[in-house]
Amino acid sequence: MAKPRVALFITCLADQFFPQVGECVVKILRRLDVDVTFNPEQTCCGQPAFNTGFRDEARSVARRVLEMYDNSDYVVAPSGSCSSMVKVFYPELFEDEPEMQRKAQDLQTRFFEFSEFLVKVLKVDDVGARFPHRVTYHDSCHLLRELGVSEPPRQLLRKVQGIELVEMGDYKLCCGFGGTFSVKFPEVSVPMGQDKIRAATETGAEYLVAADGGCLMHIAGLIHRQGLPLKTMHIAEILAQS
C-alpha cells in the first residue's frame, strides 16, 4: 500500500511565532510513515481579512491556496482556525464563481486539522509519546464549534504515557482571542482570557494544551504578564515528546 501523501499547511502564527509546532507535526507524521511535503511559497489562508470584512482580499488569498493544493492527497494544518476557514468558509467565498467553488468543495474534503487527521484518517490515537505531567486541554472555538472536533485531541492525549489529563470547568468557553477580536476589543478579550486561565489553574495542571496557536499566544501572554507558573503547549509538541 502506498504511503499517504500529506501537504503541510503551516499557519501564519506557526511560521512567525511557533516554528517548533510545524517541526513536531512533521516528526509525528513521518513516525507514522506518512510522506510529508511542504511548499515554502504558501501564504496566509485569508482568515484575518475575511473576519474583518475584506472579502475581496480574502478571496484573492484563498484563490492562491486552492491552486497550490490542487493535487495533494491530503492537506494538514496544526490549527482548527485555519482548517475551518478552508473547510467552512472557502465555499461561501466563491459562491458566485462555480469553478472556484468546485475547487473549494474539493479541497474541503481533503483538508484536515492535525488531531482530526491522525484519529479519523490515519486511525491512530497512540503515537508513542511520553509526557509525565498534569495537563488540561482548551477547546479552541473554530475547532470545537465550526468543525465539531472535540474528542480526537483528547483521545490522543489520553494515550500519552505518564500524562494526567484533567478537564477544566466550563471548558467550552472561549479564551477571548478570536483573531482580530482581541485587537479591537481588548477590554472584553482580556477578562475572557483571565477566566480561562483561572479555570485551568483550578485544575492544578502544569500545562494548558490547545490545538491553535492563536489561543496559546493569547493565553501565554496573559500568563506571562501575571507571572503565573502555568505553561502552554501545542498538542503537537506534546505528541512529539518521547
Side-chain angles (χ1 to χ4, degrees), residues 37-86:
T37 62
F38 171 73
N39 190 333
E41 294 184 1
Q42 66 182 254
T43 59
C44 178
C45 68
Q47 188 183 77
F50 179 80
N51 287 349
T52 315
F54 293 96
R55 294 295 182 98
D56 289 341
E57 289 80 358
R59 199 173 290 111
S60 176
V61 176
R63 198 182 309 277
R64 178 176 174 81
V65 172
L66 290 173
E67 292 169 353
M68 186 168 292
Y69 296 109
D70 209 17
N71 298 315
S72 304
D73 290 347
Y74 300 100
V75 183
V76 173
S79 164
S81 181
C82 294
S83 298
S84 71
M85 179 63 192
V86 174

Side-chain angles (χ1 to χ4, degrees), residues 27 70 160 197 209:
K27 178 180 179 180
D70 209 17
V160 174
I197 292 169
V209 180

Side-chain angles (χ1 to χ4, degrees), residues 79-224:
S79 164
S81 181
C82 294
S83 298
S84 71
M85 179 63 192
V86 174
K87 293 172 74 68
V88 178
F89 299 110
Y90 271 22
E92 174 187 328
L93 265 179
F94 294 103
E95 58 186 0
D96 294 327
E97 297 181 48
E99 179 59 25
M100 292 307 297
Q101 187 179 58
R102 184 198 63 76
K103 285 179 176 286
Q105 291 168 340
D106 176 61
L107 184 58
Q108 185 181 46
T109 66
R110 297 181 287 115
F111 200 107
F112 290 90
E113 181 272 332
F114 176 59
S115 70
E116 183 183 29
F117 181 75
L118 292 181
V119 174
K120 294 189 176 181
V121 179
L122 295 185
K123 309 297 183 183
V124 170
D125 58 11
D126 188 343
V127 299
R130 175 175 172 76
F131 193 71
H133 298 280
R134 186 178 177 94
V135 308
T136 190
Y137 176 74
H138 162 64
D139 291 271
S140 63
C141 288
H142 282 97
L143 188 60
L144 178 65
R145 293 171 174 80
E146 297 289 355
L147 299 179
V149 176
S150 173
E151 186 56 26
R154 289 176 168 83
Q155 196 171 331
L156 289 160
L157 288 171
R158 292 189 195 105
K159 291 289 186 175
V160 174
Q161 294 180 35
I163 204 168
E164 183 182 1
L165 178 63
V166 289
E167 292 284 7
M168 286 180 268
D170 294 329
Y171 64 88
K172 292 183 179 180
L173 290 180
C174 176
C175 72
F177 176 63
T180 55
F181 173 82
S182 62
V183 178
K184 290 183 173 182
F185 304 103
E187 67 278 7
V188 181
S189 174
V190 169
M192 291 174 72
Q194 290 173 333
D195 286 344
K196 177 63 66 172
I197 292 169
R198 190 176 303 112
T201 302
E202 288 173 356
T203 67
E206 300 169 73
Y207 293 87
L208 182 147
V209 180
D212 265 283
C215 297
L216 290 170
M217 184 173 67
H218 178 61
I219 294 169
L222 294 172
I223 289 172
H224 176 72

